[in-house]
Amino acid sequence: MTVALEQGVVAVVTGGARGIGLAVAQRLLGNGVKVACLDRPDADYSAVQSAASSYGVECAILRADVRDQTAVRQVVLTATEIGPVRYAVNCAGIDGLAPSDQVTGAEWKRVVDVDLDGVFFACQAEHEAMRGAGGSIVNIASMSGHIVNRGVDPHVAYGAAKAGVIHLSKGLGVEWAREGVRVNSVSPGYVHTELTAHNAPEVNATFARQTPMGRMAQVDEIADPVLFLLGTGAAFITATDLRVDGGFTAW
Ligand code: NDP
C-alpha cells in the first residue's frame, strides 16, 4: 500500500515491541519513517530493531511504563534526538476479565491506569515533542469502547477505558486542531495477537463466527488504516474514531 507520509521524521509507537504496535512500527519503517518504540522496560525489542536494520531506517528504544507520566514524558522527549516527532501511535494496552461484583479496586485501577491514563500521558508527551510544528496522533481504542462483547467473560474496566480513549481522542483533536495536531482513534475488532493467542481455540472460533466477515483480523489490517490516518490522505480528519472490525459493530 502507498501511503503519503513524511520521510525522515519520527513516529513514537507505544506498545511497539509486539502485536499491533509492532505491525505499525514495521509499516512505518518500511515507509521511511523513523520509529521511537516505547514499551515496558523489560520488553523484547528485537523484532522492531531487526525491522529497522533491514529497512535501513533509524529506530530509538524508549523504555518506560505508560502509567508513569514523568517517565513517559522524559523518554518521549528524547525521541527528538533522531529527528522531528511528527507522528504517534498509542497501542500499549492490557485486558482484564472479571465479573464486576468481584473486581477489586486494584484490578480496576490496573486496567484503567494502562488503557486510559497511559494513553493520555503518551498523548501529552507526544504533543510536547511535536513542539508546535504539528503532527498526527492515532490512539488504539477498541470496538469494546462502543459495544459490550458477548460470549466472553465480562471486562467492564476495559470497555470503560476504551470508551474513554475514544472520547479523549475527540477532545484532544478539538483542543489541538488549530495548532495542526490531528488526533484520531482506531477501534479494532478481534485481532490475532498475543492478547488473543491465549484464548481457547473455541473462543477465537466464536469471535470469528460473530464477525460478519467470518474471521479475526491480521495485525497488518489494523496497521494500514492507522497509517492512512497518520498521513496526508487524512489531512482533514481529526477528532474521529475509525472502526476496523470486519463489520462486527454493525449488527
Ligand atoms: P499485545 O499484548 O500483543 O501488545 C501490547 C504491548 O503493549 C505489549 O508489548 C505490552 O507489553 C505493552 N504494554 C502493556 N502494558 C504496558 C505498560 N504499562 N507500559 C508500556 N507498555 C505496555 O496487544 P495487542 O497488540 O493485541 O493490542 C494493542 C492494542 O490494541 C491494545 O490497546 C489493545 O487493547 C487493542 N486492541 C486489541 C485487540 C485484539 O483483539 N488484539 C482488539 C481491540 C483492541 P507486555 O507484553 O510486557 O505487557
Side-chain angles (χ1 to χ4, degrees):
M1 182 174 103
T2 307
V3 286
L5 292 166
E6 218 180 313
Q7 305 282 297
V9 299
V10 181
V12 175
V13 182
T14 78
R18 71 171 205 213
I20 295 169
L22 174 61
V24 167
Q26 289 166 330
R27 278 287 205 260
L28 286 164
L29 290 161
N31 280 277
V33 177
K34 299 175 189 178
V35 167
C37 175
L38 188 158
D39 212 296
R40 287 190 204 271
D42 60 350
D44 175 5
Y45 292 88
S46 57
V48 70
Q49 283 169 320
S50 101
S53 71
S54 62
Y55 287 116
V57 178
E58 231 171 325
C59 165
I61 301 302
L62 312 180
R63 296 175 192 275
D65 189 311
V66 293
R67 294 171 295 183
D68 183 340
Q69 187 179 20
T70 306
V72 168
R73 179 175 180 272
Q74 272 169 0
V75 297
V76 167
L77 293 183
T78 66
T80 57
E81 289 167 13
I82 59 165
V85 174
R86 291 289 171 273
Y87 303 121
V89 184
N90 297 313
C91 304
I94 55 171
D95 205 350
L97 303 165
S100 291
D101 56 0
Q102 290 164 31
V103 171
T104 62
E107 173 59 6
W108 175 272
K109 199 165 152 34
R110 185 182 76 88
V111 174
V112 175
D113 278 356
V114 176
D115 289 352
L116 181 57
D117 298 26
V119 173
F120 178 66
F121 297 153
C123 286
Q124 243 187 350
E126 291 151 2
H127 171 257
E128 186 177 348
M130 288 173 183
R131 298 185 195 286
S136 179
I137 299 174
V138 175
N139 294 320
I140 304 302
S142 170
M143 68 175 179
S144 308
H146 293 278
I147 50 104
V148 177
N149 302 66
R150 58 180 180 276
V152 291
D153 291 339
H155 56 169
V156 166
Y158 180 82
K162 293 298 186 179
V165 170
I166 293 164
H167 197 279
L168 92 78
S169 306
K170 287 184 195 167
L172 297 179
V174 169
E175 203 172 322
W176 297 337
R178 295 291 174 104
E179 52 184 284
V181 176
R182 296 186 295 107
V183 187
N184 293 292
S185 56
V186 162
S187 286
Y190 295 115
V191 190
H192 288 290
T193 67
E194 297 276 332
L195 210 66
T196 47
H198 66 263
N199 292 337
E202 56 273 22
V203 171
N204 284 345
T206 303
F207 290 167
R209 216 173 26 251
Q210 289 174 340
T211 304
M213 288 183 73
R215 63 178 178 84
M216 291 168 61
Q218 300 297 332
V219 284
D220 287 341
E221 295 174 308
I222 309 302
D224 284 340
V226 168
L227 262 65
F228 161 71
L229 282 174
L230 289 179
T232 53
F236 201 53
I237 301 178
T238 198
T240 198
D241 179 73
L242 177 60
R243 300 182 197 197
V244 186
D245 64 1
F248 193 102
T249 56
W251 67 2

